[in-house]
Amino acid sequence: MRNLSLILWVLLLMDGVFGVDKVKQVSVSVMKGDSVTLHTDVTELQSDKIEWMSEDNVIIAQIANNKISIDDVSEGRLELDHQTGSLTIRNITENRIYNLDIGGRIQISKRFNVTVHDEMKTVSVKKEDSIILRTGVIDIREYYQILWKFEDERMAEITKGTNKFSLYNSANGRFSGRLHPDHQTGSLTISDSQTTDSGDYHLNMISSSHTIQRTISVTVKGLSSAVIAVIALCVALVVVVAVAVGVAICHMQHVKRSRGVV
């Protein structure tokens, strides 16, 4: 019994000294070209040093002695929040692992496994067809806020606290009665599209561990699928009539020749 107590005491000591099991694992799924912010879980830094590192523990961004330094290799795609230490990666293009280490009074270690999916960020539809704006997630339960905007106008929002989608009409009633949210995935469908719906749509998804920002460019072409179908039908009818007339004329000429009429 004494030996068992000693072993437990040693394990607890190792956990406190060496930080065993204190590295929090976070999985983040994004689309290629998204901007993602990785949260530190603190509202205000109370530490002398914070380090963001790559998978091989090379420092890519840090705050030390109240000064921010960022790896030049990032080509301006990295940004650190001076107050919280959260890291934003813009135009993300590849799977990466980001390690966070905060020292000082707050001891935090986190490992973010960011997976990037290669999906289109442009949508092209014909007038009166539906526009589908996708979040790229199967279930939105981990996100406590999802916001869709068209240019600078709010379109739809869901807040986890109320578990309710709020739909917004623009000043000119642009989307009135045409917005249809998916309450499981957070995706948004715009029915009966118009050419004025062309433009940039912005998605903002916030969870406790990260924030995703996405822009989807939409183009609505002038003719609807129904109009194109009618035009195609009319063209087909004209062709059929022309062929029928041609066949009739040929038949009449053949009859005249057979009767000796020139």
Side-chain angles (χ1 to χ4, degrees):
M1 189 70 179
R2 180 180 298 177
N3 291 337
L4 179 60
S5 300
L6 179 61
I7 292 172
L8 290 175
W9 183 84
V10 171
L11 289 175
L12 289 173
L13 180 62
M14 291 178 63
D15 180 73
V17 174
F18 297 105
V20 177
D21 295 330
K22 287 192 175 182
V23 178
K24 183 178 180 181
Q25 304 286 336
V26 180
S27 295
V28 182
S29 179
V30 300
M31 289 186 184
K32 189 175 182 179
D34 283 352
S35 291
V36 59
T37 299
L38 309 178
H39 300 162
T40 59
D41 286 342
V42 297
T43 56
E44 185 175 355
L45 288 179
Q46 299 176 4
S47 169
D48 294 332
K49 194 169 187 179
I50 175 172
E51 294 177 338
W52 284 95
M53 294 166 284
S54 60
E55 184 175 8
D56 51 1
N57 288 325
V58 174
I59 297 175
I60 57 174
Q62 66 175 337
I63 299 176
N65 298 322
N66 209 32
K67 293 182 179 179
I68 293 178
S69 59
I70 297 176
D71 184 6
D72 291 335
V73 179
S74 66
E75 298 179 350
R77 294 192 300 114
L78 299 183
E79 181 180 340
L80 269 181
D81 186 299
H82 193 277
Q83 182 176 354
T84 66
S86 295
L87 178 70
T88 297
I89 308 105
R90 295 189 178 87
N91 190 29
I92 195 163
T93 57
E94 60 184 357
N95 299 339
R96 293 278 309 264
I97 290 177
Y98 297 88
N99 294 314
L100 166 67
D101 184 67
I102 299 178
R105 292 171 56 190
I106 302 178
Q107 298 288 333
I108 295 178
S109 292
K110 297 175 75 173
R111 181 181 180 90
F112 293 85
N113 188 353
V114 180
T115 304
V116 181
H117 302 281
D118 190 5
E119 297 191 31
M120 295 296 293
K121 294 295 188 60
T122 59
V123 176
S124 180
V125 300
K126 297 179 179 63
K127 185 180 178 182
E128 297 179 4
D129 286 356
S130 292
I131 302 168
I132 302 178
L133 306 173
R134 304 185 188 278
T135 59
V137 299
I138 299 175
D139 198 312
I140 60 174
R141 281 181 293 182
E142 71 170 294
Y143 295 96
Y144 59 81
Q145 185 184 45
I146 293 179
L147 175 64
W148 283 103
K149 296 175 69 177
F150 174 67
E151 307 295 354
D152 293 325
E153 300 177 7
R154 286 186 171 218
M155 298 172 60
E157 180 179 9
I158 186 172
T159 304
K160 191 172 183 178
T162 60
N163 196 28
K164 179 182 177 182
F165 251 109
S166 299
L167 301 178
Y168 301 94
N169 284 325
S170 58
N172 58 8
R174 182 196 305 272
F175 299 109
S176 179
R178 298 194 294 125
L179 298 180
H180 311 282
D182 187 314
H183 292 262
Q184 181 174 347
T185 67
S187 297
L188 186 66
T189 298
I190 306 169
S191 60
D192 190 25
S193 65
Q194 305 298 314
T195 54
T196 52
D197 295 337
S198 298
D200 289 336
Y201 292 79
H202 305 289
L203 170 65
N204 195 61
M205 299 195 297
I206 304 174
S207 76
S208 59
S209 62
H210 62 277
T211 297
I212 294 175
Q213 293 179 317
R214 179 179 306 147
T215 298
I216 301 175
S217 297
V218 173
T219 301
V220 180
K221 299 177 182 179
L223 295 178
S224 67
S225 297
V227 172
I228 292 176
V230 170
I231 292 174
L233 179 60
C234 291
V235 171
L237 288 174
V238 169
V239 171
V240 170
V241 171
V243 170
V245 171
V247 170
I249 292 174
C250 290
H251 178 69
M252 290 176 62
Q253 289 177 346
H254 177 72
V255 171
K256 287 181 180 181
R257 291 193 191 97
S258 64
R259 293 179 180 179
V261 179
V262 180

